[in-house]
Coordinates of all heavy atoms in Angstrom, one line a residue:
M1 N 4.3 -9.2 -11.5 CA 5.2 -10.3 -11.2 C 5.8 -10.7 -12.6 O 5.3 -10.9 -13.6 CB 4.3 -11.5 -10.7 CG 5.2 -12.7 -10.4 SD 6.1 -12.5 -8.8 CE 4.8 -12.3 -7.7
L2 N 7.1 -10.7 -12.5 CA 7.9 -11.0 -13.6 C 8.4 -12.5 -13.6 O 8.4 -13.1 -12.6 CB 9.3 -10.2 -13.7 CG 9.0 -8.7 -13.8 CD1 10.3 -8.0 -13.6 CD2 8.3 -8.3 -15.1
T3 N 8.6 -13.2 -14.7 CA 9.0 -14.5 -14.8 C 10.4 -14.8 -14.5 O 11.1 -13.8 -14.5 CB 8.7 -15.0 -16.2 OG1 9.4 -14.3 -17.2 CG2 7.2 -15.0 -16.5
P4 N 10.7 -16.0 -14.1 CA 12.2 -16.3 -13.7 C 13.0 -16.2 -14.8 O 12.6 -16.3 -16.0 CB 12.0 -17.8 -13.2 CG 10.8 -18.3 -13.9 CD 9.8 -17.2 -14.1
Y5 N 14.3 -16.1 -14.6 CA 15.3 -16.0 -15.6 C 16.4 -17.1 -15.3 O 16.4 -17.5 -14.2 CB 15.9 -14.5 -15.7 CG 16.7 -14.2 -14.5 CD1 17.9 -14.3 -14.3 CD2 15.9 -13.5 -13.5 CE1 18.6 -13.9 -13.2 CE2 16.5 -13.0 -12.4 CZ 17.8 -13.2 -12.3 OH 18.4 -12.8 -11.0
P6 N 17.2 -17.5 -16.3 CA 18.1 -18.5 -16.2 C 19.2 -18.1 -15.1 O 19.4 -16.9 -14.8 CB 18.9 -18.7 -17.4 CG 17.9 -18.0 -18.5 CD 17.2 -17.0 -17.7
P7 N 19.8 -19.1 -14.3 CA 20.7 -18.7 -13.3 C 21.9 -17.9 -13.8 O 22.3 -18.1 -15.0 CB 21.2 -20.1 -12.7 CG 20.1 -21.1 -13.2 CD 19.5 -20.5 -14.5
V8 N 22.4 -17.0 -13.0 CA 23.5 -16.2 -13.3 C 24.7 -16.7 -12.4 O 24.5 -16.8 -11.2 CB 23.3 -14.8 -13.1 CG1 24.6 -13.8 -13.4 CG2 22.1 -14.3 -14.0
P9 N 25.9 -17.0 -13.0 CA 27.0 -17.4 -12.1 C 27.2 -16.4 -11.0 O 27.1 -15.2 -11.2 CB 28.1 -17.5 -13.0 CG 27.6 -17.6 -14.4 CD 26.2 -16.8 -14.4
H10 N 27.7 -16.9 -9.7 CA 28.0 -16.1 -8.7 C 29.1 -15.1 -9.2 O 29.9 -15.4 -10.0 CB 28.4 -16.8 -7.5 CG 27.2 -17.5 -7.0 ND1 26.2 -16.9 -6.2 CD2 27.0 -18.9 -6.9 CE1 25.4 -17.8 -5.8 NE2 25.7 -19.0 -6.2
F11 N 29.2 -13.9 -8.5 CA 30.1 -12.8 -8.8 C 30.0 -12.3 -10.2 O 30.8 -11.7 -10.7 CB 31.6 -13.4 -8.7 CG 31.7 -14.0 -7.3 CD1 32.0 -15.5 -7.2 CD2 31.7 -13.3 -6.1 CE1 32.1 -16.0 -5.9 CE2 31.9 -13.9 -4.8 CZ 32.1 -15.3 -4.7
T12 N 28.8 -12.3 -10.8 CA 28.5 -11.7 -12.0 C 27.2 -11.0 -11.9 O 26.4 -11.3 -10.9 CB 28.4 -12.6 -13.3 OG1 27.4 -13.6 -13.0 CG2 29.7 -13.3 -13.4
F13 N 26.8 -10.1 -12.7 CA 25.6 -9.3 -12.6 C 24.5 -9.8 -13.6 O 24.9 -10.3 -14.6 CB 25.8 -7.8 -12.8 CG 26.5 -7.1 -11.8 CD1 27.9 -6.8 -12.0 CD2 26.0 -6.9 -10.5 CE1 28.6 -6.2 -11.0 CE2 26.6 -6.2 -9.6 CZ 28.0 -6.0 -9.8
G14 N 23.3 -9.8 -13.2 CA 22.2 -10.2 -14.1 C 20.9 -9.8 -13.5 O 20.9 -9.6 -12.2
G15 N 19.8 -9.9 -14.0 CA 18.5 -9.7 -13.5 C 17.6 -8.9 -14.4 O 17.5 -9.1 -15.6
F16 N 16.8 -8.1 -13.6 CA 15.7 -7.3 -14.4 C 16.0 -5.8 -14.4 O 16.5 -5.4 -13.5 CB 14.3 -7.5 -13.7 CG 13.9 -9.0 -13.7 CD1 14.0 -9.7 -12.5 CD2 13.4 -9.7 -14.8 CE1 13.6 -11.0 -12.5 CE2 12.9 -11.0 -14.7 CZ 13.0 -11.6 -13.6
Q17 N 15.6 -5.2 -15.5 CA 15.6 -3.8 -15.6 C 14.1 -3.4 -15.6 O 13.3 -3.8 -16.4 CB 16.3 -3.2 -16.7 CG 16.3 -1.7 -16.7 CD 17.1 -1.1 -18.0 OE1 17.8 -1.8 -18.7 NE2 17.0 0.2 -18.2
I18 N 13.8 -2.6 -14.6 CA 12.3 -2.2 -14.6 C 12.2 -0.6 -14.7 O 13.0 0.1 -13.9 CB 11.7 -2.6 -13.1 CG1 11.8 -4.1 -13.0 CG2 10.3 -2.1 -13.0 CD1 11.5 -4.6 -11.6
N19 N 11.4 -0.2 -15.5 CA 11.1 1.2 -15.8 C 9.7 1.4 -15.2 O 8.8 0.8 -15.5 CB 11.3 1.7 -17.2 CG 12.6 1.5 -17.7 OD1 13.6 1.8 -17.0 ND2 12.8 1.0 -18.9
S20 N 9.7 2.6 -14.3 CA 8.2 2.9 -14.0 C 8.3 4.4 -13.7 O 9.3 5.1 -13.5 CB 7.8 2.1 -12.7 OG 8.0 2.8 -11.5
A21 N 7.1 5.1 -13.7 CA 6.9 6.4 -13.3 C 7.4 6.6 -11.9 O 7.3 5.7 -11.1 CB 5.6 6.8 -13.6
A22 N 7.9 7.8 -11.6 CA 8.2 8.1 -10.2 C 7.0 8.0 -9.4 O 5.8 8.3 -9.8 CB 8.8 9.5 -10.1
P23 N 7.2 7.6 -8.1 CA 6.1 7.5 -7.2 C 5.5 8.9 -6.9 O 6.1 9.9 -6.9 CB 6.6 6.8 -6.0 CG 8.0 7.2 -5.9 CD 8.4 7.3 -7.4
F24 N 4.2 8.9 -6.6 CA 3.6 10.1 -6.2 C 3.7 10.1 -4.6 O 3.6 9.2 -4.1 CB 2.1 10.1 -6.6 CG 1.8 10.3 -8.0 CD1 1.4 9.2 -8.8 CD2 2.0 11.5 -8.6 CE1 1.2 9.3 -10.2 CE2 1.8 11.5 -10.0 CZ 1.4 10.5 -10.7
P25 N 3.8 11.3 -4.0 CA 3.8 11.4 -2.6 C 2.6 10.7 -2.1 O 1.4 10.9 -2.4 CB 3.8 12.9 -2.3 CG 4.4 13.5 -3.5 CD 4.0 12.6 -4.6
G26 N 2.9 9.8 -1.0 CA 1.8 9.0 -0.4 C 1.4 7.8 -1.2 O 0.5 7.1 -0.6
S27 N 1.9 7.5 -2.3 CA 1.6 6.4 -3.2 C 2.9 5.7 -3.8 O 3.3 6.1 -4.8 CB 0.6 6.9 -4.3 OG 0.2 5.7 -5.0
P28 N 3.4 4.7 -3.0 CA 4.6 4.3 -3.6 C 4.5 3.4 -4.8 O 3.5 2.9 -5.1 CB 5.0 3.3 -2.3 CG 3.8 3.0 -1.7 CD 3.0 4.1 -1.8
A29 N 5.7 3.3 -5.5 CA 5.7 2.4 -6.6 C 6.3 1.1 -6.1 O 7.2 1.0 -5.4 CB 6.7 2.9 -7.7
I30 N 5.5 0.0 -6.3 CA 5.9 -1.4 -5.8 C 6.1 -2.3 -6.9 O 5.3 -2.5 -7.9 CB 4.8 -1.8 -4.8 CG1 4.5 -0.8 -3.7 CG2 5.2 -3.2 -4.3 CD1 3.4 -1.3 -2.9
H31 N 7.1 -3.1 -6.9 CA 7.6 -4.0 -8.0 C 7.9 -5.3 -7.3 O 8.6 -5.3 -6.3 CB 8.7 -3.6 -8.8 CG 8.5 -2.3 -9.7 ND1 7.7 -2.4 -10.8 CD2 8.7 -1.0 -9.5 CE1 7.5 -1.2 -11.3 NE2 8.2 -0.4 -10.5
Q32 N 7.6 -6.5 -7.9 CA 8.0 -7.8 -7.3 C 8.6 -8.5 -8.5 O 8.1 -8.5 -9.6 CB 6.7 -8.5 -6.8 CG 6.1 -7.9 -5.6 CD 5.0 -8.7 -5.1 OE1 4.8 -10.0 -5.6 NE2 4.2 -8.2 -4.1
Y33 N 9.6 -9.3 -8.1 CA 10.1 -10.3 -9.1 C 10.6 -11.4 -8.3 O 10.9 -11.4 -7.0 CB 11.1 -9.6 -10.0 CG 12.4 -9.2 -9.2 CD1 13.6 -9.9 -9.3 CD2 12.4 -7.9 -8.7 CE1 14.7 -9.4 -8.8 CE2 13.6 -7.4 -8.1 CZ 14.7 -8.2 -8.1 OH 15.9 -7.8 -7.6
Y34 N 11.0 -12.5 -9.0 CA 11.5 -13.8 -8.3 C 12.5 -14.5 -9.3 O 12.6 -14.3 -10.5 CB 10.4 -14.6 -7.9 CG 9.7 -15.4 -9.1 CD1 10.0 -16.7 -9.4 CD2 8.6 -14.8 -9.7 CE1 9.4 -17.4 -10.4 CE2 8.0 -15.6 -10.7 CZ 8.3 -16.8 -11.0 OH 7.6 -17.5 -12.0
W35 N 13.2 -15.3 -8.6 CA 14.2 -16.2 -9.3 C 14.1 -17.6 -8.7 O 13.8 -17.7 -7.5 CB 15.7 -15.7 -9.1 CG 16.7 -16.6 -9.8 CD1 17.2 -16.3 -11.1 CD2 17.2 -17.7 -9.4 NE1 18.0 -17.2 -11.4 CE2 18.1 -18.2 -10.4 CE3 17.2 -18.5 -8.2 CZ2 19.0 -19.3 -10.3 CZ3 17.9 -19.7 -8.1 CH2 18.8 -20.1 -9.2
T36 N 14.1 -18.5 -9.6 CA 13.8 -19.9 -9.2 C 14.7 -20.9 -10.0 O 14.9 -20.6 -11.1 CB 12.3 -20.3 -9.2 OG1 12.1 -21.7 -8.7 CG2 11.8 -20.3 -10.6
V37 N 15.0 -22.0 -9.3 CA 15.6 -23.0 -10.0 C 14.6 -24.0 -10.9 O 15.0 -24.7 -11.8 CB 16.5 -23.9 -9.2 CG1 17.5 -23.2 -8.6 CG2 15.8 -24.7 -8.1
D38 N 13.3 -23.8 -10.6 CA 12.3 -24.6 -11.2 C 11.1 -23.7 -11.6 O 10.1 -23.8 -10.7 CB 12.0 -25.9 -10.3 CG 11.0 -26.8 -11.0 OD1 10.4 -26.5 -12.1 OD2 10.6 -27.8 -10.4
P39 N 11.0 -23.2 -12.8 CA 9.9 -22.4 -13.0 C 8.6 -23.1 -13.2 O 7.6 -22.5 -13.0 CB 10.3 -21.8 -14.5 CG 11.3 -22.7 -15.0 CD 12.0 -23.3 -13.8
F40 N 8.5 -24.5 -13.2 CA 7.3 -25.1 -13.2 C 6.7 -25.5 -11.7 O 5.7 -25.9 -11.7 CB 7.4 -26.4 -14.0 CG 7.8 -26.2 -15.5 CD1 9.1 -26.4 -15.8 CD2 6.9 -25.7 -16.3 CE1 9.5 -26.1 -17.2 CE2 7.2 -25.3 -17.6 CZ 8.5 -25.5 -18.1
N41 N 7.6 -25.3 -10.8 CA 7.2 -25.6 -9.4 C 8.0 -24.7 -8.4 O 8.8 -25.2 -7.6 CB 7.6 -27.1 -9.1 CG 6.8 -27.5 -7.8 OD1 6.0 -26.9 -7.3 ND2 7.3 -28.7 -7.3
P42 N 7.9 -23.3 -8.6 CA 8.8 -22.5 -7.8 C 8.4 -22.5 -6.3 O 9.4 -22.3 -5.4 CB 8.3 -21.0 -8.3 CG 7.0 -21.3 -9.0 CD 7.0 -22.7 -9.5
A43 N 7.2 -22.9 -5.9 CA 6.9 -22.9 -4.4 C 7.6 -24.1 -3.7 O 7.8 -24.0 -2.5 CB 5.4 -23.1 -4.2
N44 N 8.1 -25.1 -4.4 CA 8.7 -26.3 -3.9 C 10.1 -26.4 -4.3 O 10.8 -27.5 -4.0 CB 8.0 -27.6 -4.2 CG 6.6 -27.5 -3.6 OD1 6.5 -27.3 -2.3 ND2 5.6 -27.8 -4.3
A45 N 10.7 -25.3 -4.9 CA 12.1 -25.4 -5.3 C 12.8 -24.1 -4.7 O 12.2 -23.3 -4.1 CB 12.2 -25.3 -6.8
K46 N 14.2 -24.2 -4.9 CA 15.0 -23.0 -4.4 C 14.4 -21.7 -5.2 O 14.4 -21.6 -6.4 CB 16.4 -23.1 -4.6 CG 17.1 -23.9 -3.6 CD 18.6 -23.9 -3.8 CE 19.2 -24.7 -2.7 NZ 20.7 -24.5 -2.9
T47 N 13.7 -20.8 -4.4 CA 13.1 -19.6 -5.0 C 13.3 -18.5 -4.1 O 13.2 -18.6 -2.8 CB 11.7 -19.9 -5.3 OG1 11.5 -21.0 -6.1 CG2 10.9 -18.7 -5.9
C48 N 13.6 -17.3 -4.7 CA 13.6 -16.1 -3.9 C 12.6 -15.1 -4.6 O 12.5 -15.0 -5.8 CB 14.9 -15.4 -4.1 SG 16.3 -16.2 -3.3
L49 N 11.8 -14.4 -3.7 CA 10.9 -13.5 -4.1 C 11.2 -12.2 -3.5 O 11.4 -12.0 -2.3 CB 9.5 -13.8 -3.7 CG 8.3 -12.8 -3.8 CD1 8.1 -12.6 -5.3 CD2 7.1 -13.4 -3.1
W50 N 11.5 -11.1 -4.3 CA 11.8 -9.9 -3.8 C 10.8 -8.8 -4.1 O 10.1 -8.8 -5.2 CB 13.1 -9.2 -4.5 CG 14.3 -10.0 -4.2 CD1 15.2 -9.7 -3.1 CD2 15.1 -11.0 -4.8 NE1 16.2 -10.6 -3.0 CE2 16.2 -11.4 -4.1 CE3 14.7 -11.7 -6.1 CZ2 17.0 -12.4 -4.6 CZ3 15.6 -12.7 -6.4 CH2 16.8 -13.0 -5.7
Q51 N 10.5 -7.9 -3.2 CA 9.5 -6.7 -3.4 C 10.3 -5.5 -3.1 O 10.8 -5.3 -2.0 CB 8.3 -6.9 -2.5 CG 7.4 -5.7 -2.6 CD 6.1 -5.9 -1.7 OE1 5.5 -7.0 -1.8 NE2 5.8 -4.9 -0.9
I52 N 10.2 -4.5 -4.1 CA 10.8 -3.2 -3.8 C 9.8 -2.2 -4.0 O 8.9 -2.2 -4.7 CB 11.8 -3.0 -5.1 CG1 13.1 -4.0 -5.1 CG2 12.5 -1.6 -5.0 CD1 12.9 -5.1 -6.1
E53 N 9.9 -1.3 -2.8 CA 8.9 -0.3 -2.7 C 9.6 1.0 -2.7 O 10.4 1.3 -1.8 CB 8.1 -0.4 -1.3 CG 7.1 0.5 -1.1 CD 6.4 0.2 0.2 OE1 5.9 -0.9 0.4 OE2 6.1 1.2 0.9
V54 N 9.4 1.9 -3.6 CA 10.0 3.2 -3.7 C 9.0 4.2 -3.4 O 7.9 4.3 -3.9 CB 10.6 3.4 -5.2 CG1 11.2 4.8 -5.3 CG2 11.5 2.4 -5.5
S55 N 9.3 5.1 -2.4 CA 8.5 6.1 -1.9 C 9.0 7.6 -2.1 O 10.2 7.6 -2.1 CB 8.2 5.9 -0.4 OG 7.5 4.6 -0.2
D56 N 8.2 8.5 -2.3 CA 8.5 9.9 -2.4 C 8.0 10.6 -1.1 O 6.7 10.7 -0.9 CB 8.0 10.6 -3.6 CG 8.3 12.1 -3.7 OD1 8.7 12.6 -2.7 OD2 8.3 12.6 -4.8
V57 N 8.8 11.0 -0.2 CA 8.3 11.6 1.0 C 8.9 13.0 1.1 O 10.0 13.2 1.2 CB 8.7 10.9 2.3 CG1 8.2 11.6 3.6 CG2 8.2 9.4 2.2
G58 N 8.0 14.0 0.9 CA 8.4 15.4 0.9 C 9.5 15.8 -0.1 O 10.3 16.6 0.1
G59 N 9.4 15.1 -1.3 CA 10.4 15.4 -2.3 C 11.7 14.6 -2.2 O 12.6 14.8 -3.1
S60 N 11.8 13.7 -1.3 CA 13.0 12.8 -1.2 C 12.6 11.4 -1.4 O 11.6 10.9 -0.7 CB 13.7 13.1 0.2 OG 14.8 12.3 0.3
C61 N 13.2 10.7 -2.2 CA 12.8 9.3 -2.4 C 13.7 8.3 -1.6 O 14.8 8.6 -1.1 CB 13.2 8.9 -3.9 SG 12.3 9.9 -5.1
S62 N 13.0 7.2 -1.2 CA 13.6 6.2 -0.4 C 13.1 4.9 -0.9 O 12.0 4.8 -1.6 CB 13.2 6.3 1.1 OG 11.8 6.2 1.2
A63 N 13.7 3.8 -0.5 CA 13.3 2.4 -1.0 C 13.4 1.5 0.1 O 14.3 1.6 1.0 CB 14.1 2.0 -2.2
Q64 N 12.5 0.5 0.1 CA 12.6 -0.6 1.0 C 12.6 -1.9 0.1 O 11.8 -2.0 -0.8 CB 11.3 -0.6 2.0 CG 11.4 0.4 3.0 CD 10.2 0.2 4.1 OE1 9.2 -0.4 3.6 NE2 10.4 0.6 5.3
V65 N 13.3 -2.9 0.5 CA 13.4 -4.1 -0.2 C 13.1 -5.2 0.8 O 13.7 -5.3 1.9 CB 14.8 -4.4 -0.8 CG1 14.7 -5.7 -1.5 CG2 15.1 -3.2 -1.7
R66 N 12.1 -6.0 0.4 CA 11.8 -7.1 1.3 C 12.0 -8.4 0.5 O 11.9 -8.4 -0.8 CB 10.3 -7.0 1.8 CG 10.0 -5.9 2.6 CD 8.5 -5.7 3.0 NE 8.2 -4.7 3.7 CZ 7.8 -3.5 3.2 NH1 7.8 -3.3 1.9 NH2 7.7 -2.4 4.0
F67 N 12.2 -9.5 1.0 CA 12.3 -10.8 0.3 C 11.9 -11.9 1.1 O 11.9 -11.9 2.4 CB 13.8 -11.1 -0.3 CG 14.9 -10.9 0.8 CD1 15.3 -12.1 1.4 CD2 15.5 -9.9 1.1 CE1 16.2 -12.1 2.4 CE2 16.5 -9.8 2.1 CZ 16.9 -10.9 2.7
S68 N 11.5 -12.9 0.4 CA 11.0 -14.2 1.1 C 11.8 -15.4 0.4 O 12.2 -15.2 -0.9 CB 9.5 -14.5 0.7 OG 8.7 -13.5 1.3
T69 N 12.0 -16.4 1.0 CA 12.7 -17.5 0.5 C 11.9 -18.9 0.5 O 11.0 -18.9 1.5 CB 14.0 -17.8 1.2 OG1 13.7 -18.1 2.6 CG2 14.9 -16.6 1.3
F70 N 12.0 -19.8 -0.4 CA 11.4 -21.0 -0.5 C 12.5 -22.0 -0.8 O 13.4 -21.8 -1.4 CB 10.4 -21.0 -1.5 CG 9.2 -19.9 -1.3 CD1 9.5 -18.7 -2.0 CD2 8.1 -20.1 -0.5 CE1 8.5 -17.7 -1.8 CE2 7.2 -19.0 -0.4 CZ 7.4 -17.9 -1.1
G71 N 12.2 -23.3 -0.4 CA 12.9 -24.5 -0.7 C 14.4 -24.4 -0.3 O 15.2 -25.1 -0.9
G72 N 14.7 -23.7 0.7 CA 16.0 -23.7 1.3 C 16.9 -22.6 0.6 O 18.1 -22.7 0.7
A73 N 16.4 -21.8 -0.3 CA 17.2 -20.8 -1.0 C 17.8 -19.8 0.0 O 17.1 -19.5 1.0 CB 16.4 -20.1 -1.9
I74 N 19.0 -19.2 -0.3 CA 19.6 -18.2 0.5 C 19.5 -16.9 -0.4 O 20.2 -17.0 -1.4 CB 21.0 -18.5 0.8 CG1 21.0 -19.8 1.7 CG2 21.7 -17.4 1.5 CD1 22.3 -20.3 2.0
C75 N 18.7 -16.0 0.0 CA 18.5 -14.8 -0.8 C 19.2 -13.6 0.0 O 19.0 -13.4 1.1 CB 17.0 -14.5 -0.9 SG 15.9 -15.9 -1.5
T76 N 20.0 -12.8 -0.8 CA 20.6 -11.6 -0.2 C 20.5 -10.5 -1.1 O 20.1 -10.5 -2.3 CB 22.1 -12.0 -0.1 OG1 22.7 -12.3 -1.3 CG2 22.4 -13.1 0.9
I77 N 20.9 -9.2 -0.5 CA 20.9 -7.9 -1.2 C 22.2 -7.5 -1.1 O 22.8 -7.5 0.1 CB 19.8 -7.0 -0.7 CG1 18.5 -7.5 -0.8 CG2 19.9 -5.6 -1.3 CD1 17.4 -6.8 0.0
D78 N 22.9 -7.1 -2.1 CA 24.3 -6.6 -2.1 C 24.2 -5.1 -1.7 O 23.9 -4.2 -2.7 CB 25.0 -6.8 -3.4 CG 26.5 -6.5 -3.4 OD1 26.8 -5.4 -2.6 OD2 27.3 -7.1 -4.1
T79 N 24.4 -4.7 -0.5 CA 24.3 -3.4 -0.1 C 25.4 -2.5 -0.7 O 25.4 -1.2 -0.7 CB 24.2 -3.1 1.4 OG1 25.3 -3.8 2.0 CG2 22.9 -3.9 1.8
T80 N 26.6 -3.1 -1.0 CA 27.6 -2.3 -1.6 C 27.3 -1.7 -3.0 O 27.6 -0.5 -3.2 CB 28.9 -3.2 -1.8 OG1 29.2 -3.8 -0.7 CG2 30.1 -2.5 -2.4
Y81 N 26.5 -2.4 -3.8 CA 26.1 -1.9 -5.1 C 24.8 -1.3 -5.2 O 24.4 -0.8 -6.3 CB 26.4 -3.1 -6.1 CG 27.8 -3.4 -6.3 CD1 28.3 -4.6 -5.8 CD2 28.8 -2.7 -7.0 CE1 29.6 -5.1 -5.9 CE2 30.1 -3.0 -7.1 CZ 30.5 -4.2 -6.6 OH 31.8 -4.5 -6.7
S82 N 23.9 -1.7 -4.3 CA 22.5 -1.2 -4.3 C 22.4 0.2 -3.9 O 23.2 0.7 -2.9 CB 21.7 -2.1 -3.5 OG 21.7 -3.4 -3.9
Y83 N 21.6 0.9 -4.5 CA 21.3 2.4 -4.0 C 20.1 2.9 -4.6 O 19.4 2.3 -5.4 CB 22.5 3.3 -4.6 CG 22.4 3.5 -6.1 CD1 21.7 4.5 -6.7 CD2 23.0 2.6 -7.0 CE1 21.5 4.7 -8.1 CE2 23.0 2.7 -8.3 CZ 22.2 3.8 -8.9 OH 22.1 3.9 -10.2
I84 N 19.6 4.0 -4.1 CA 18.5 4.8 -4.5 C 19.0 6.3 -4.7 O 19.5 6.8 -3.7 CB 17.2 4.7 -3.7 CG1 16.1 5.5 -4.2 CG2 17.5 5.1 -2.3 CD1 14.7 5.1 -3.9
E85 N 18.7 7.0 -5.8 CA 18.9 8.4 -5.9 C 17.8 9.1 -5.3 O 16.7 9.1 -5.7 CB 19.1 8.7 -7.4 CG 19.2 10.1 -7.7 CD 20.4 10.9 -7.0 OE1 21.5 10.3 -7.0 OE2 20.1 11.9 -6.5
P86 N 18.1 9.9 -4.2 CA 17.0 10.5 -3.5 C 16.2 11.6 -4.3 O 15.0 11.9 -4.0 CB 17.6 11.3 -2.2 CG 19.0 11.2 -2.5 CD 19.4 10.2 -3.6
T87 N 16.8 12.2 -5.3 CA 16.0 13.3 -6.1 C 15.3 12.8 -7.3 O 14.2 13.3 -7.6 CB 17.0 14.4 -6.5 OG1 18.1 13.7 -7.3 CG2 17.6 15.0 -5.3
T88 N 15.8 11.6 -8.0 CA 15.1 11.1 -9.1 C 14.4 9.7 -8.8 O 13.6 9.4 -9.7 CB 16.1 10.8 -10.2 OG1 17.0 9.9 -9.8 CG2 16.9 12.2 -10.6
C89 N 14.6 9.2 -7.8 CA 14.1 7.8 -7.4 C 14.6 6.7 -8.3 O 14.1 5.6 -8.3 CB 12.6 7.8 -7.5 SG 11.7 8.9 -6.4
E90 N 15.6 7.0 -8.9 CA 16.3 5.9 -9.7 C 16.9 5.0 -8.7 O 17.7 5.5 -7.8 CB 17.5 6.5 -10.6 CG 18.1 5.3 -11.4 CD 19.2 5.9 -12.2 OE1 19.5 7.0 -12.4 OE2 19.8 5.1 -13.0
A91 N 16.7 3.7 -8.9 CA 17.3 2.7 -7.9 C 18.0 1.6 -8.6 O 17.5 1.1 -9.7 CB 16.2 2.2 -7.0
L92 N 18.9 1.0 -8.0 CA 19.6 -0.2 -8.4 C 19.6 -1.2 -7.3 O 20.1 -0.8 -6.2 CB 21.1 0.1 -9.0 CG 21.9 -1.2 -9.2 CD1 21.3 -1.9 -10.6 CD2 23.4 -0.8 -9.5
I93 N 19.0 -2.3 -7.4 CA 18.9 -3.3 -6.3 C 19.6 -4.4 -6.7 O 19.1 -5.2 -7.7 CB 17.5 -3.6 -5.9 CG1 16.6 -2.3 -5.5 CG2 17.4 -4.6 -4.6 CD1 17.2 -1.5 -4.5
V94 N 20.8 -4.8 -6.2 CA 21.6 -6.0 -6.6 C 21.2 -7.1 -5.6 O 21.4 -6.9 -4.4 CB 23.1 -5.7 -6.6 CG1 23.9 -6.9 -7.0 CG2 23.3 -4.5 -7.6
T95 N 20.8 -8.2 -6.2 CA 20.4 -9.3 -5.3 C 21.2 -10.6 -5.8 O 21.8 -10.5 -6.8 CB 18.9 -9.7 -5.6 OG1 18.7 -10.0 -7.0 CG2 18.0 -8.5 -5.1
D96 N 21.2 -11.5 -4.9 CA 21.9 -12.8 -5.1 C 21.1 -13.9 -4.6 O 20.2 -13.8 -3.5 CB 23.3 -12.8 -4.5 CG 24.1 -14.1 -4.8 OD1 23.9 -14.6 -6.0 OD2 25.0 -14.5 -4.1
M97 N 21.2 -15.1 -5.1 CA 20.5 -16.3 -4.7 C 21.4 -17.5 -4.6 O 22.1 -17.7 -5.7 CB 19.2 -16.5 -5.4 CG 18.4 -17.7 -5.0 SD 18.0 -18.7 -6.3 CE 17.5 -20.2 -5.5
Q98 N 21.4 -18.2 -3.7 CA 22.2 -19.5 -3.7 C 21.3 -20.7 -3.3 O 20.3 -20.6 -2.6 CB 23.3 -19.5 -2.5 CG 24.2 -18.2 -2.7 CD 25.2 -18.0 -1.6 OE1 25.4 -19.0 -0.9 NE2 25.7 -16.9 -1.5

């Protein structure tokens, strides 16, 4: 679990860069991170929690992104800029919170 970071203005990029070993077949690499307006009380403030699961199935990588919202936050994933490279498992997940 990574700690929250300061808000990033809308229509700009920001977030976390995560490095990890490629997943083994049958054993996905799973990462979680969150963004909140109140790091001292995230469960009762606008908070987004994202979980990214990268899997290698037969030599081809895929990713699933799940997210939860708290405190009335609106959490989204920008599918225009998000991608996963099927041969290297390199992924870019662009998220937004309102």
Side-chain angles (χ1 to χ4, degrees):
M1 185 70 68
L2 300 174
T3 56
Y5 60 93
V8 176
H10 290 291
F11 307 110
T12 61
F13 292 105
F16 298 106
Q17 179 176 352
I18 300 172
N19 294 315
S20 99
F24 292 103
S27 179
I30 300 173
H31 296 281
Q32 293 184 12
Y33 65 98
Y34 72 96
W35 184 92
T36 184
V37 296
D38 185 354
F40 300 104
N41 192 13
N44 293 311
K46 282 188 173 184
T47 301
C48 294
L49 171 68
W50 289 278
Q51 177 176 309
I52 296 100
E53 181 177 314
V54 178
S55 299
D56 179 343
V57 178
S60 181
C61 297
S62 63
Q64 289 186 330
V65 180
R66 297 177 184 86
F67 55 90
S68 301
T69 64
F70 302 92
I74 299 172
C75 310
T76 60
I77 299 169
D78 187 328
T79 57
T80 301
Y81 294 105
S82 299
Y83 69 88
I84 182 159
E85 171 56 48
T87 55
T88 64
C89 295
E90 178 181 4
L92 173 67
I93 310 299
V94 178
T95 58
D96 187 28
M97 184 226 161
Q98 299 175 19

